[in-house]
Amino acid sequence: MELVCPAGTPSALRAAVQAGADAIYCGFRDETNARNFPGLNFSPQEMAEGIAFAHEHGSKVLVAINTFARAGNTDPWRRAADTAASCGADAIIAADIAVLDHMASQHPGTRLHLSVQAAAATPEAIGFYADAFNVRRVVLPRVLSVQEIAALNRQISVETEAFVFGGLCVMIEGRCYLSSYAAGRSPNLNGVCSPPEMVTYDEDKDGTAARLAGFTIDHYAPGEPAGYPTLCKGRFKAGDKAGYLFEDPVSLNAGSMIVAFKKAGVTALKIEGRQRGKGYVTQVVRAFKKAVDAAEQGHDATEIDSILASLSEGGRQTTGAYRKIWR
């Protein structure tokens, strides 16, 4: 199985390549990708240099153009698609039908992967994208069990890619608008969930309040580690009880289930974390490389949970919907 690894910067791309990533995904420094944060992403020249470096070392580069083009202003998405193709990208990861159509008609020689932002999880939806745009791979939403993935793979003709580590969204991808209510900016359109310039940490006598656009998302006792304030992982009061009403601050780690993914017919395993540094990339890629090698021998690398615990949000991990165990 192919190991698809994140790179938010040129240095992270080089680290992923050197750690043994089969493929690296990254995006341009604008609203065309869903990790549009200050200090991250690639200029066209950096993208071309990064792709050349990866190819020299036997790795592929997949360029994420996975936000939705804005009506009346589709040129930035067209330019990003044209630039990625001219840089020699091995595939474009897209969700918007306009971007997919542009790539299929103007750059038919470049592979198309359907972004998780398209939220395609049925044979009919995936079949449409494959027939209309010659999509070769679909990145699956993080709401399916392994059994559901196996059933899906028996009914489709394209490759599937499943997330195995990193951030875990509360909603099916491409359909979350929570942050736009507080910040006025949507991850689907602007590529930003909880914009960092709108995040503050305010100290008071009772501890630290983490706020987004002035809204208190969580409050931490003195000395308690403060997490990043995203609405879906905030701690709120309902009635007389306070708790994480949408989603606990926890990371996905399905590293102990790779044999199951292999049996389910998954082609590629995806690590989330383009906003993380090259140290994170190196450690996670190396750990999953060992886990994939173990899966090829027929057994799971159970020690991966303890190895990656320190890199998980809040130090807590879950297999998410892959093993459906509900509270």
Side-chain angles (χ1 to χ4, degrees):
M1 287 180 290
E2 184 176 279
L3 191 58
V4 182
C5 307
T9 62
S11 63
L13 183 148
R14 292 191 293 271
V17 169
Q18 291 165 346
D22 299 306
I24 298 94
Y25 67 101
C26 49
F28 290 112
R29 199 172 290 138
D30 55 35
E31 290 186 335
T32 64
N33 89 85
R35 287 294 182 272
N36 181 27
F37 292 108
L40 292 184
N41 301 310
F42 291 65
S43 68
Q45 180 178 344
E46 289 169 339
M47 185 67 74
E49 293 171 351
I51 291 173
F53 178 85
H55 288 175
E56 288 170 5
H57 293 80
S59 298
K60 294 182 285 190
V61 175
L62 321 176
V63 179
I65 307 173
N66 58 343
T67 52
F68 293 86
R70 194 168 294 114
N73 185 29
T74 57
D75 286 347
W77 283 263
R78 296 177 192 273
R79 283 197 302 269
D82 294 340
T83 302
S86 67
C87 287
D90 296 280
I92 304 300
I93 308 170
D96 191 305
I97 287 177
V99 176
L100 293 166
D101 181 66
H102 178 78
M103 285 298 304
S105 61
Q106 300 301 313
H107 306 285
T110 302
R111 275 177 65 105
L112 281 178
H113 292 182
L114 188 64
S115 170
V116 70
Q117 292 295 313
T122 64
E124 294 80 4
I126 294 168
F128 164 76
Y129 288 105
D131 294 341
F133 310 112
N134 194 30
V135 163
R136 306 284 294 280
R137 179 185 295 178
V138 57
V139 184
L140 297 174
R142 285 165 277 193
V143 295
L144 302 175
S145 68
V146 171
Q147 291 82 1
E148 288 168 329
I149 293 173
L152 183 63
N153 274 328
R154 289 193 290 269
Q155 300 178 68
I156 62 176
S157 59
V158 303
E159 301 171 357
T160 52
E161 181 172 308
F163 282 92
V164 290
F165 189 80
L168 185 62
C169 292
V170 62
M171 293 187 183
I172 190 165
E173 289 87 353
R175 301 180 187 175
C176 180
Y177 300 92
L178 278 175
S179 73
S180 66
Y181 287 106
R185 296 169 70 186
S186 161
N188 311 119
L189 295 176
N190 308 104
V192 182
C193 174
S194 301
E197 66 271 20
M198 297 183 184
V199 170
T200 59
Y201 295 92
D202 302 316
E203 301 285 344
D204 59 33
K205 61 182 178 61
D206 298 317
T208 302
R211 296 190 170 97
L212 173 66
F215 295 99
T216 301
I217 305 301
D218 208 337
H219 196 281
Y220 302 90
E224 183 183 4
Y228 192 84
T230 56
L231 271 172
C232 64
K233 295 180 181 179
R235 191 159 35 182
F236 304 105
K237 182 177 286 186
D240 59 353
K241 184 179 180 181
Y244 297 104
L245 300 186
F246 296 104
E247 175 65 71
D248 290 317
V250 62
S251 287
L252 175 69
N253 184 358
S256 61
M257 299 180 64
I258 294 180
V259 170
F261 285 120
K262 183 176 176 63
K263 291 179 179 177
V266 171
T267 301
L269 305 172
K270 188 166 195 168
I271 297 167
E272 191 274 341
R274 283 194 283 152
Q275 72 276 30
R276 307 290 290 267
K278 61 182 182 180
Y280 167 94
V281 170
T282 298
Q283 190 169 343
V284 175
V285 172
R286 286 177 177 170
F288 271 94
K289 258 309 216 192
K290 291 180 180 178
V292 170
D293 290 343
E296 294 299 326
Q297 303 301 316
H299 58 88
D300 281 312
T302 54
E303 71 277 4
I304 197 169
D305 289 351
S306 58
I307 292 173
L308 297 178
S310 63
L311 299 178
S312 300
E313 186 175 357
R316 299 165 62 197
Q317 303 176 104
T318 178
T319 53
Y322 295 137
R323 287 195 184 109
K324 282 187 173 170
I325 302 170
W326 303 108
R327 288 189 296 205

